[in-house]
Amino acid sequence: MEGLQKVGYIALTNPDGSIQLGVPVYVRVKELNEQGTTDQQEQWVKFAIKSMLDYYEDQIAEYMAELKKSKKEA
């Protein structure tokens, strides 16, 4: 399935010299999955989530332990 994917915003100069902000920029995408994203986007999201979990693993574990502790005390 082919579609358009918004990739960002730009500013354009109007003929009168004024600036038009927030003009969306689209790219044509040939294959969208069921979620409406490309497989490459899905891979990047998974990579970012894994990287964040690896980086914050200790803090998340401490937070979860504190939650369990506070629930037992309540």
Side-chain angles (χ1 to χ4, degrees):
M1 179 169 96
E2 191 171 301
L4 295 174
Q5 181 74 37
K6 190 184 313 181
V7 295
Y9 294 91
I10 61 171
L12 298 176
T13 304
N14 293 319
D16 66 359
S18 64
I19 303 291
Q20 184 177 1
L21 299 173
V23 179
V25 177
Y26 294 89
V27 294
R28 187 176 305 277
V29 179
K30 293 190 180 205
E31 294 183 25
L32 297 175
N33 59 26
E34 299 81 35
Q35 291 80 24
T37 60
T38 65
D39 290 336
Q40 186 177 17
Q41 287 173 315
E42 297 265 333
Q43 289 173 356
W44 276 107
V45 168
K46 289 177 184 176
F47 173 77
I49 291 170
K50 183 183 180 320
S51 298
M52 289 175 64
L53 286 175
D54 289 347
Y55 185 79
Y56 291 108
E57 184 176 12
D58 293 336
Q59 293 91 331
I60 293 170
E62 289 174 17
Y63 177 74
M64 296 303 287
E66 287 295 322
L67 281 179
K68 287 180 183 179
K69 183 179 175 182
S70 64
K71 284 184 180 181
K72 288 181 182 179
E73 291 175 356

